[in-house]
Amino acid sequence: LVGRDGKKLSESSDRYVDISHSIRRGNWKFGAGLSMIETNDEVLGVRNSDSQTAPHVSVAYEPEHGPKVELRFGAADAQSQIVDDNLAARAKTKQLQLSVDVSDYVRDELNRPDAKLKLEYRYDFSNGGDNAGNGPRERDGGHALLVTFSTPLN
């Protein structure tokens, strides 16, 4: 961001990496991972750098045909954490995610082999415990319901 006098007012760069590993046993998949986030900001000449790591575990049932269900606990993935300005608080956030991928059904109904539909519920335990003065406290955490649909236009 540049001011009227041509001086730089702010600059920001963020990097994130998600590393995960899973083991499959039949239709079951068990996983664990680590999100690493690094931010570098400069506002009015004041530089701020921070980095955090945040773990997660998951279990999924993924049959060859039919809905695929995954339950994940731990930190949100790094890409969704980076949106929040308070990196340290987000990396410590614990989140419960339940997702159901019904893409097989959608592909059959729409006769589109590349169609995808995923429903996801997230419960964020972010402010249930230690708030450390980092803003308002939510009584019941945060709830989110996400629907992801995609298909090629051609």
Side-chain angles (χ1 to χ4, degrees):
L1 186 61
V2 178
R4 282 190 264 180
D5 58 1
K7 290 185 179 180
K8 186 175 18 171
L9 299 176
S10 68
E11 181 179 2
S12 177
S13 66
D14 304 310
R15 285 191 283 178
Y16 59 89
V17 176
D18 279 320
I19 298 173
S20 63
H21 180 72
S22 61
I23 298 171
R24 185 177 295 277
R25 296 283 184 248
N27 291 334
W28 291 95
K29 187 166 99 174
F30 304 92
L34 188 65
S35 296
M36 295 172 278
I37 308 113
E38 182 180 285
T39 63
N40 294 296
D41 302 311
E42 182 176 343
V43 178
L44 298 175
V46 178
R47 292 188 82 49
N48 183 32
S49 296
D50 196 4
S51 63
Q52 294 288 331
T53 56
H56 69 270
V57 293
S58 65
V59 61
Y61 182 73
E62 298 181 350
E64 190 174 328
H65 300 290
K68 295 165 180 54
V69 180
E70 180 182 19
L71 183 64
R72 175 179 163 141
F73 178 75
D77 59 276
Q79 188 169 8
S80 62
Q81 290 183 44
I82 210 122
V83 175
D84 196 318
D85 287 339
N86 190 343
L87 175 69
R90 289 300 300 157
K92 293 174 187 170
T93 293
K94 297 298 179 256
Q95 202 175 69
L96 182 66
Q97 299 175 14
L98 175 64
S99 62
V100 179
D101 187 333
V102 291
S103 297
D104 283 348
Y105 173 75
V106 171
R107 284 190 278 269
D108 291 344
E109 288 297 310
L110 298 178
N111 196 26
R112 306 282 305 216
D114 295 329
K116 296 179 183 177
L117 178 62
K118 185 175 181 180
L119 310 169
E120 187 172 328
Y121 169 76
R122 293 181 182 181
Y123 180 76
D124 193 341
F125 297 97
S126 61
N127 293 321
D130 179 29
N131 195 29
N134 291 328
R137 180 181 294 240
E138 296 173 356
R139 277 186 229 129
D140 296 324
H143 300 270
L145 183 60
L146 307 161
V147 177
T148 306
F149 174 74
S150 66
T151 187
L153 296 175
N154 53 8

